[in-house]
Amino acid sequence: MPGARVTRGIQIKTPDQVRLMRRAGLVVAEGLAAMGAVAVPGATTADLDAAGASVLKAAGARSSFLGYGAGWGYPPYPGVACISVNDVIVHGIPGPLALHDGDIVSVDFGAIVEGWHGDAARTFVVGTGTSPEVAALIETTRLACWAGVAAVRAGAHIGDVSYAVQRAVRAPGNPRYGIVMGYTGHGIGSDMHQPPDVPNQGRPRTGPRIVRGMCLAIEPMVTLGSPVVAEDDDGWTVRTADRSWAAHWENTVAVVDGGLWVLTEPDGGAAELAARGVPYAPLA
Ligand code: MF3
Ligand code: CO
């Protein structure tokens, strides 16, 4: 990408580049909302993907996911979203699978605007509700994502973010959830996956230092049981080995002058950052 500056392997974005990523992030937010609305009993995972595709089309955006992996030994990814139901943690391929009342569906979606990516995920409950245990799993995963986001600041280390995610999952009183390793958050910019990896467990003051202009996708994957994964033979679908249910929550956050801008949230993160005393600093 011409004009992109890289420091110690990490792409540093200009304010104009972050503004393009905000446009991509808003498309992602819109797509997730549309797919969440389609996630009712009887809908197929292909129906959700189609809703994501129409949002991309209407916005004039491209998909970060479609065709991903082609050329390096994976079957090219066949959808615009990953739709992962119940015990599927991530990378569920959209298809004829129908959703049922009480299922949970993790929807992971990416968009490209003028070459710049946004990436986010939400876990939705299908229909009238789910058990208190599953609801708590989803809420813990959402809070862990926000704890990670709130630990991002210029001068902190990636390990501080990882530690914050881990601590939120391990909050006092929580069940012994599994934290999936081997799939991590990541830098994001002119590619969907860039350095640095952002693991969901780690030690404070370790790893690369965060500076202004970095953009990170923070994405805890949490299970009700074992964190050990098993891949289906489609080359993509990742499930829990013990078939326990899993949740996934992801946002793309930019480190900007004076604070953070959560590019994949409609409000830019204003509410959740304020609740955590973290400066919200959208670019004009
Ligand atoms: N969005 C996922 C992530 O959060 C990756 C999707 S894999 C793809 O990193 F193949 F679908 F692109
Ligand atoms: Co991601």
Side-chain angles (χ1 to χ4, degrees):
M1 179 70 42
R5 187 158 73 86
V6 173
T7 299
R8 293 172 195 257
I10 301 175
Q11 186 179 53
I12 305 301
K13 285 76 175 175
T14 67
D16 278 343
Q17 291 167 341
V18 173
R19 289 183 187 98
L20 291 174
M21 290 182 65
R22 172 59 167 164
R23 288 174 53 197
L26 285 173
V27 175
V28 171
E30 193 190 334
L32 287 171
M35 288 185 272
V38 171
V40 298
T44 67
T45 59
D47 293 336
L48 272 66
D49 194 74
S54 34
V55 167
L56 290 175
K57 190 165 185 212
R62 288 176 41 224
S63 171
S64 303
F65 292 14
L66 188 66
Y68 188 86
W72 27 280
Y74 279 84
Y77 190 74
V80 302
C82 298
I83 316 280
S84 305
V85 179
N86 297 345
D87 63 313
V88 179
I89 305 165
V90 282
H91 300 171
I93 296 177
L97 178 70
L99 301 175
H100 297 100
D101 193 75
D103 283 348
I104 61 173
V105 58
S106 298
V107 180
D108 189 346
F109 187 52
I112 312 173
V113 170
E114 294 185 34
W116 295 86
H117 292 247
D119 182 10
R122 305 283 179 263
T123 299
F124 301 107
V125 176
V126 178
T128 51
T130 186
S131 67
E133 290 73 20
V134 171
L137 168 76
I138 296 171
E139 178 62 2
T140 294
T141 309
R142 187 185 76 81
L143 291 173
C145 180
W146 280 106
V149 169
V152 174
R153 63 175 173 79
H157 293 262
I158 294 297
D160 297 319
V161 177
S162 303
Y163 182 66
V165 171
Q166 168 186 340
R167 284 211 19 177
V169 178
R170 298 275 171 253
N174 276 359
R176 183 76 196 174
Y177 293 125
I179 302 176
V180 176
M181 301 299 285
Y183 300 87
T184 67
H186 48 93
I188 178 168
S190 58
D191 287 297
M192 173 169 60
H193 289 146
Q194 297 184 326
D197 284 351
V198 184
N200 291 313
Q201 305 185 46
R203 296 205 327 277
R205 290 181 298 282
T206 62
R209 194 181 282 276
I210 297 169
V211 301
R212 186 178 55 194
M214 284 186 187
C215 296
L216 301 169
I218 296 169
E219 49 175 320
M221 286 148 262
V222 183
T223 73
L224 274 179
S226 162
V228 177
V229 307
E231 278 183 36
D232 284 9
D233 56 18
D234 61 16
W236 282 105
T237 308
V238 179
R239 301 176 191 272
T240 56
D242 65 1
R243 301 294 192 257
S244 64
W245 286 16
H248 182 200
W249 208 276
E250 175 176 24
N251 274 312
T252 297
V253 59
V255 184
V256 289
D257 218 1
L260 301 182
W261 196 9
V262 183
L263 304 176
T264 45
E265 280 288 343
D267 76 346
E272 295 285 351
L273 294 176
R276 292 166 178 79
V278 175
Y280 164 62
L283 296 174

